[in-house]
Amino acid sequence: MNTSKIRKDFPALKQRIGGKRLVYFDNACSVLKPKPVIAAVNNFYSNFGSCAGNRSSHLLGWRVQELMEEAREKAAKFIGARSEKEVVWTKNSTEGINLIAASLPLENGRNEIVLTEMEHHSNLLPFFEQSQKRKFKIKIVPLDKDGMVNLDLLDKAVTKKTALVAATHLSNVTGLVSPMDDIVNLAHKKGALVLADDAQYVVSHRENAAASRIDFLVFSGHKIGGPTGIGVLYGREALLKKMPPYNAGGGMVKSVSISGGNIKVNYLPPPFKFEAGVQHNAGIAGLGFAIDYLEYLGGEKIENYLKSLVEYVLRKLSERPEIGFMADYGKHPPSSLVSFYFRDKRISLYDFNLFLNHELRDCFIATRCGHHCAMPYHKIFNVPVSMRLSFFVYNTKQEIDVFCQALDKFLSKK
Amino acid sequence: MTDLERCLLLILGKRSNISSRDVLKEAKKLKICASCSDRSEVFFVGEKLLRKKLVERILKNREYIWRLSQEGKRLLKID
């Protein structure tokens, strides 16, 4: 991985704030944007800016339509969908999960959703909210002592009443990768569907939805270098066909009529029936270029490079007895991110975070400090707050060294 | 001024020279601080108020200590 060449593609890395350069370890929240993505969004607003041709009947709209179709094809290929009909544009992963929670068919007496304690709030709360309205039951599967999905307990929880198992593919807290193949096998054996929360997964791993037989998956554009406000819901076409729309409005209907005061509506087939209103066309264009950029770097190369950074930071942090980790990383190696805490509860991670932002001479270091929208997962480890270091291809081992020096400096201030 | 800005000012108006840890403890008690979803927002607000010269923050050993500035005290009408 030629990081010095890659870094030139990311203008945000060149900026100085208060004269200090940026060391960016908050990639699990949002990856910085490469030039092709910025150019694509800029190009859209500079040269297009119109609606797409599915509603606007002019040359400009038709060109926008082509851009949107190209982006959908790229997204379909990126996640291994069978066709672009299985790719629904959403705002982000959260919206995709909300759509599933609201529209998932509950058939043949299947009225239970199985989740794990590992989930991001975005993979818990949409189901919690809909469980009240749609009268389904939620079962939460406890994790094992290492913080991993416990397949035995999951097997017990999934029954002929289970409609869906929704699980994170890569934890945003620990970086642990869930055994998704096992989860799919176990769920399908009992006739349940599987939703993979791929928000953290697809940036560092090649996903193949069709081959892995995942029924639904979601990811967000901003976590792979794309614009904010655009995401993807993948769903098997046969399932999407059965599901009612989540939002309703223009651009999603074949026909609407009013007869005797009653509205009659025929919706378009998926994905369009889930895409009411004018879409985030600039975001979609940018997402297409973010996918191109990842493909250009190479999925396997990205995975291996991020793994090497994670191994390096773990080795370095493990040398410091003050540090505790959010999982047994010796047993389960994390992927692309690690989280830690101070064993001495008198030392505040929030203060260390401020230190990283204000007290270093040449740079400031951006991390994530908090519960990372996964309070139940933190509770398992009896750690309310952790600091997360998450990496992307522009990060280097030298930056990790800078972080470790800052850590030592902070800890030495007694 | 946002609720969170008021939140931090009220906390420091009540208790001066307190640590980040204590700021967070106090924030839990105040309804006005409720939008602090990942806790760290209160420190983002701290940055804003520092720029407005309404609060001061000093690093003492491994802890940051927070207090109102003279300007902040004037705003809250504290002598």
Side-chain angles (χ1 to χ4, degrees):
Chain A
M1 200 60 78
N2 186 345
T3 43
S4 50
K5 186 166 172 262
I6 288 169
R7 288 176 72 85
K8 289 182 184 144
D9 290 337
F10 292 84
L13 290 172
K14 285 187 201 146
Q15 72 182 308
R16 295 281 185 277
I17 296 185
K20 294 178 181 183
R21 72 186 163 83
L22 165 66
V23 173
Y24 189 74
F25 290 155
D26 193 20
N27 295 287
C29 189
S30 187
V31 157
L32 302 176
K33 312 307 168 203
K35 281 178 186 169
V37 170
I38 298 165
V41 174
N42 189 28
N43 179 48
F44 181 84
Y45 286 125
S46 302
N47 298 314
F48 299 99
S50 77
C51 291
N54 59 347
R55 60 174 73 215
S56 290
S57 49
H58 48 72
L59 278 171
L60 197 62
W62 293 331
R63 183 66 192 106
V64 171
Q65 184 70 18
E66 263 182 64
L67 274 176
M68 302 302 102
E69 286 172 7
E70 282 166 19
R72 205 190 296 266
E73 279 170 29
K74 286 178 193 176
K77 203 172 150 214
F78 179 60
I79 53 171
R82 288 165 206 83
S83 91
E84 64 279 2
K85 289 177 193 168
E86 297 182 319
V87 171
V88 179
W89 299 127
T90 59
K91 268 197 307 203
N92 44 37
S93 303
T94 302
E95 189 180 52
I97 297 170
N98 273 282
L99 191 161
I100 296 296
S103 300
L104 178 80
L106 299 171
E107 299 169 328
N108 308 319
R110 291 183 182 270
N111 61 356
E112 291 179 356
I113 307 287
V114 173
L115 308 168
T116 80
E117 286 178 324
M118 202 177 195
E119 304 311 316
H120 189 285
H121 297 164
S122 292
N123 204 25
L124 282 176
L125 301 183
F127 293 107
F128 170 70
E129 285 300 321
Q130 288 296 329
S131 69
Q132 323 274 314
K133 292 177 194 155
R134 301 186 67 200
K135 310 285 176 214
F136 58 72
K137 192 179 156 190
I138 294 173
K139 279 186 181 173
I140 309 281
V141 179
L143 302 173
D144 66 20
K145 60 178 172 31
D146 304 326
M148 282 287 277
V149 174
N150 185 321
L151 289 171
D152 291 334
L153 293 178
L154 184 67
D155 194 24
K156 278 182 195 148
V158 179
T159 68
K160 61 182 183 194
K161 284 188 155 189
T162 307
L164 180 79
V165 178
T168 183
H169 207 159
L170 195 162
S171 163
N172 72 311
V173 176
T174 55
L176 300 183
V177 178
S178 299
M180 197 50 74
D181 286 346
D182 294 330
I183 294 171
V184 170
N185 285 336
L186 189 154
H188 283 185
K189 211 185 282 175
K190 297 181 184 175
L193 302 171
V194 174
L195 161 65
D197 175 358
D198 270 1
Q200 298 295 343
Y201 187 77
V202 290
V203 71
S204 54
H205 292 76
R206 293 311 300 257
E207 181 59 279
N208 191 328
S212 61
R213 298 176 300 124
I214 290 168
D215 301 290
F216 301 104
L217 72 81
V218 292
F219 75 90
S220 299
H222 63 272
K223 291 189 196 295
I224 66 164
T228 51
I230 185 67
V232 163
L233 161 68
Y234 157 87
R236 280 202 288 117
E237 193 184 350
L239 292 168
L240 292 179
K241 274 183 180 170
K242 281 200 265 183
M243 290 164 52
Y246 173 59
N247 290 317
M252 45 126 32
V253 291
K254 266 186 201 163
S255 65
V256 185
S257 61
I258 300 176
S259 168
N262 294 318
I263 298 171
K264 276 184 81 176
V265 57
N266 271 319
Y267 292 114
L268 285 168
F272 310 110
K273 75 169 171 182
F274 298 107
E275 296 173 352
V278 172
Q279 296 298 293
H280 182 12
N281 294 337
I284 294 168
L287 177 62
F289 278 83
I291 290 169
D292 284 346
Y293 190 76
L294 292 184
E295 302 284 17
Y296 152 75
L297 293 175
E300 207 173 317
K301 279 188 188 162
I302 296 171
E303 184 178 346
N304 290 335
Y305 184 67
L306 298 187
K307 209 179 274 179
S308 74
L309 290 181
V310 163
E311 280 167 10
Y312 187 72
V313 76
L314 274 180
R315 200 165 61 240
K316 289 279 176 183
L317 291 178
S318 302
E319 291 164 2
R320 290 158 173 85
E322 296 90 344
I323 299 294
F325 293 108
M326 289 294 290
D328 186 347
Y329 288 142
K331 216 165 162 186
H332 305 288
S335 174
S336 73
L337 66 96
V338 294
S339 292
F340 68 90
Y341 57 92
F342 290 130
R343 289 185 195 280
D344 183 345
K345 300 220 182 306
R346 288 169 301 177
I347 313 174
S348 161
L349 274 175
Y350 289 114
D351 282 337
F352 179 46
N353 189 49
L354 287 172
F355 183 87
L356 291 173
N357 279 284
H358 295 292
E359 309 299 335
L360 310 181
R361 209 180 49 196
D362 304 320
C363 65
F364 68 100
I365 304 178
T367 70
R368 176 82 178 258
C369 180
H371 52 62
H372 320 313
C373 300
M375 290 169 103
Y377 200 20
H378 274 79
K379 195 152 189 199
I380 290 169
F381 296 103
N382 200 21
V383 175
V385 172
S386 63
M387 179 169 278
R388 180 178 70 192
L389 308 178
S390 54
F391 304 104
F392 193 53
V393 290
Y394 39 66
N395 292 127
T396 64
K397 288 181 181 169
Q398 288 78 11
E399 287 181 318
I400 293 171
D401 289 338
V402 169
F403 175 84
C404 290
Q405 284 157 15
L407 175 63
D408 290 341
K409 201 173 160 191
F410 178 74
L411 291 173
S412 69
K413 285 186 172 295
K414 284 179 187 167
Chain B
M1 195 173 282
T2 65
D3 277 0
L4 274 178
E5 285 174 57
R6 273 199 292 273
C7 157
L8 186 55
L9 288 175
L10 285 175
I11 289 168
L12 299 181
K14 215 164 76 174
R15 290 183 63 191
S16 195
N17 290 308
I18 60 169
S19 67
S20 303
R21 188 183 305 277
D22 288 337
V23 168
L24 286 171
K25 273 185 202 158
E26 293 294 330
K28 276 186 180 172
K29 296 179 200 164
L30 292 174
K31 204 176 171 188
I32 201 170
C33 308
S35 63
C36 177
S37 69
D38 205 7
R39 290 177 166 203
S40 55
E41 292 98 316
V42 75
F43 300 115
F44 154 69
V45 167
E47 294 302 316
K48 270 173 82 181
L49 295 178
L50 270 166
R51 279 204 305 271
K52 291 182 184 175
K53 300 194 186 321
L54 294 173
V55 301
E56 291 169 353
R57 182 191 63 207
I58 51 158
L59 178 63
K60 201 173 166 193
N61 302 327
R62 289 186 292 212
E63 270 192 331
Y64 282 94
I65 305 296
W66 298 79
R67 64 179 173 227
L68 288 176
S69 66
Q70 288 305 322
E71 188 61 37
K73 283 179 186 169
R74 259 197 299 276
L75 188 79
L76 290 190
K77 294 184 177 133
I78 296 171
D79 290 324

